[in-house]
Amino acid sequence: MRIDMGEQLPTEAVSRHITNDTQFMFQFYKPCFQFYAPSPNIDTHMSPHRLQQSLIAALHSCPLLLGRFVVHTDHTVSHSYDPRHPNLPTLEFQSTELTFSELKSQAFAYSVCQRHNMDLDIPDGAIRGSNDEQPMLMVKVTYLRDGGAAVFAMTNHVAFDGNAMFSFLAYWAQCNAGHGVELPVDLQPVSNKILTDADQTSDTSTDTAQSPAEISVDATRSPAEIATTITRAVSRGTMVPCVYSISTQDLRKLKQRVEASGELQEGEWVSTNNVLTALVAQCVARANMRAHVYEHGPWTVFQALDMRKPLGLPLRGLGSPIILAECNASADHVLHPDRLPALARSVRMSVDTYTPEYLRNAMHWMHTTYAGLARNGVDEPWRHFWFSALNTNRRCVGVSCMNRIPIYDADFGAGRPVMARSFNPRPNYVIVFPGPPGETNAYDSLHLYVTLERSAMDALRADPEWSRVCTLVSEF
């Protein structure tokens, strides 16, 4: 059963523009499963009728997320809300003979769910024009034979960053459980406008703004040609996506090792995320070189940086203007485990170089360059930008730490999900999610989504530094 929610939406809501941050560079759908253990409350609290009605309530409170992309005649793009637009949320239900116990025995592998038709086909996510009918939110609920349930949700990353997606699912769950709740701050329509009015009306040439090294643009080639150029050719079926777990206790020990190494100068510090980025960079780069996927040499290491903090913007709210904070690592820094403290320090120092002035300049450059492409008639100008570090022909490795997103907070009245599962198709770009809550409901582990060529994945598993702290949860 599929329900199109458009007729249930209010006639008016907030609209917001999306071209003033880097969010439009992430045009893909973010899928996720949340698994619920068998409970008699699933029949009552998670029935199709109740879930539909609570989703209506949630959408009425937060409809601005679920409008559509409007491509204007001047090639600018806005995220405009209208209940008649075809980018409307969908909700589907099904039952399966698969049991929760069987899923658990197979580590809740994403591929098992696919084989039982528990997911939905993933669109490419690209903004194309006024006739694009891809929903911004798609949900499919599967009832398992032994009384458990799985909720598959998928959102376009341009409309929802990871935090907003899971905050909305948790908010919907609260509405479903019958709690009188206000819209959480994570979903408030906070303005992410970075440019001043003077910037908006200034000449659209890029002479006044320097091109940031982290972002590339090319109007001479089509988006398909760009994608081919920045994607390393691999044989079909050779990419292996896996999920690994690292305990927060082991991560704290790694940080203490860095702090006790004598590498940090007086007044310097590193975050846990800096240390995790250094560990991942060392192990993944080593695996790639030992497997001869990439030649021996220096690497670019990056950590995804939310620009809101250095720019003084609210840390919560919609949108996620990010930049990939890069630093250079010699082959010595990635090949030798004892260089972990030095690499963690380099990551920290790199993050600290991204000053508000630099980020404002980067945003101004993006805005003026985008406007120039649009003015000169470039079709789909938003598809001509990309982060340079995501060019898989280069020796680049990095981490996006999303270890504070509320992925396990969606309690519809039958308990919190006991496991969540997504996948990450980007090689050498490791996504970090919280692991399942422990007995005290505290997160005591992180899940690392890693995708590598098979020979490199084998080398990663054989790396003693990796296997000492990281445990395989499941393959795709």
Side-chain angles (χ1 to χ4, degrees), residues 277-299:
T277 298
L279 172 72
V280 167
Q282 278 196 331
C283 295
V284 170
R286 276 200 303 266
N288 274 299
M289 289 190 290
R290 287 171 177 170
H292 305 291
V293 174
Y294 291 90
E295 293 181 354
H296 181 92
W299 283 71

Side-chain angles (χ1 to χ4, degrees), residues 446-460:
L446 299 176
H447 278 181
L448 281 58
Y449 287 75
V450 185
T451 296
L452 300 174
E453 293 188 38
R454 182 167 296 280
S455 59
M457 188 65 78
D458 291 342
L460 180 68

Side-chain angles (χ1 to χ4, degrees), residues 6 35 37 47 94 122 161 187 193 229 256 279 324 375 389 403 406 408 445 469:
F35 299 99
S47 67
Q94 71 164 13
I122 302 176
D161 67 351
L187 298 174
K193 181 179 178 183
T229 301
Q256 291 168 358
L279 172 72
L324 302 184
R375 186 181 65 250
N403 41 327
Y408 288 96
S445 67
V469 292

Side-chain angles (χ1 to χ4, degrees), residues 30 161-163 246 251 271-281 301-306 308 320 322-325 347-348 351 398-406 424 429-434 446-449:
K30 182 184 296 295
D161 67 351
N163 190 65
I246 183 171
L251 199 50
S271 70
T272 302
N273 286 346
N274 301 150
V275 175
L276 180 58
T277 298
L279 172 72
V280 167
V301 176
F302 64 87
Q303 179 179 320
L305 171 65
D306 188 332
R308 287 175 289 195
S320 178
I322 72 167
I323 199 164
L324 302 184
V347 171
R348 177 72 251 166
V351 170
V399 171
S400 180
C401 296
M402 298 190 289
N403 41 327
R404 291 186 176 88
I405 61 175
N424 167 34
Y429 185 10
V430 177
I431 307 298
V432 182
F433 282 149
L446 299 176
H447 278 181
L448 281 58
Y449 287 75

Side-chain angles (χ1 to χ4, degrees), residues 114-426:
Q114 276 192 320
R115 290 199 296 270
H116 289 268
N117 197 34
M118 295 165 61
D119 64 335
L120 295 165
D121 292 336
I122 302 176
D124 67 9
I127 309 168
R128 289 200 169 88
S130 58
N131 295 322
D132 186 2
E133 298 187 3
Q134 295 175 167
M136 294 295 100
L137 168 69
M138 290 171 271
V139 179
K140 187 174 187 177
V141 180
T142 298
Y143 298 103
L144 305 173
R145 182 163 58 85
D146 57 356
V151 176
F152 176 83
M154 180 165 55
T155 57
N156 192 310
H157 195 285
V158 182
F160 292 75
D161 67 351
N163 190 65
M165 170 181 170
F166 291 107
S167 293
F168 181 79
L169 294 177
Y171 175 62
W172 171 26
Q174 288 182 299
C175 293
N176 186 81
H179 300 155
V181 294
E182 296 181 358
L183 192 67
V185 292
D186 307 71
L187 298 174
Q188 298 290 352
V190 176
S191 172
N192 279 341
K193 181 179 178 183
I194 296 174
L195 305 177
T196 65
D197 291 337
D199 290 328
Q200 296 279 10
T201 57
S202 65
D203 190 310
T204 55
S205 72
T206 58
D207 294 341
T208 59
Q210 184 178 356
S211 170
E214 300 80 6
I215 302 172
S216 299
V217 62
D218 187 347
T220 66
R221 291 177 290 179
S222 70
E225 290 172 330
I226 292 172
T228 299
T229 301
I230 67 173
T231 303
R232 185 176 181 275
V234 296
S235 301
R236 183 177 177 84
T238 59
M239 301 305 296
V240 180
C242 291
V243 184
Y244 291 89
S245 177
I246 183 171
S247 72
T248 54
Q249 181 179 9
D250 282 338
L251 199 50
R252 284 194 295 269
K253 290 180 180 178
L254 283 173
K255 183 181 178 184
Q256 291 168 358
R257 172 185 155 195
V258 172
E259 292 171 335
S261 67
E263 187 71 37
L264 302 180
Q265 304 300 312
E266 185 176 354
E268 293 182 343
W269 63 282
V270 292
S271 70
T272 302
N273 286 346
N274 301 150
V275 175
L276 180 58
T277 298
L279 172 72
V280 167
Q282 278 196 331
C283 295
V284 170
R286 276 200 303 266
N288 274 299
M289 289 190 290
R290 287 171 177 170
H292 305 291
V293 174
Y294 291 90
E295 293 181 354
H296 181 92
W299 283 71
T300 297
V301 176
F302 64 87
Q303 179 179 320
L305 171 65
D306 188 332
M307 291 194 286
R308 287 175 289 195
K309 184 174 182 179
L311 286 170
L313 297 169
L315 295 182
R316 294 182 177 270
L318 300 173
S320 178
I322 72 167
I323 199 164
L324 302 184
E326 298 180 10
C327 68
N328 296 318
S330 67
D332 177 71
H333 274 74
V334 296
L335 282 173
H336 301 292
D338 62 356
R339 301 297 287 157
L340 177 73
L343 184 54
R345 178 176 181 265
S346 295
V347 171
R348 177 72 251 166
M349 293 180 68
S350 169
V351 170
D352 286 343
T353 64
Y354 287 81
T355 63
E357 292 73 22
Y358 183 89
L359 297 177
R360 290 192 191 97
N361 177 81
M363 297 308 299
H364 178 62
W365 173 85
M366 291 186 66
H367 176 76
T368 53
T369 303
Y370 182 101
L373 296 183
R375 186 181 65 250
N376 291 318
V378 174
D379 191 33
E380 302 178 336
W382 49 89
R383 299 183 69 196
H384 291 263
F385 293 82
W386 70 93
F387 283 112
S388 305
L390 299 186
N391 182 344
T392 55
N393 292 300
R394 299 175 55 199
R395 288 189 297 268
C396 296
V397 58
V399 171
S400 180
C401 296
M402 298 190 289
N403 41 327
R404 291 186 176 88
I405 61 175
I407 193 171
Y408 288 96
D409 287 3
D411 182 354
F412 289 90
R416 300 168 75 184
V418 297
M419 182 62 72
R421 183 69 78 244
S422 184
F423 77 93
N424 167 34
R426 295 176 181 268

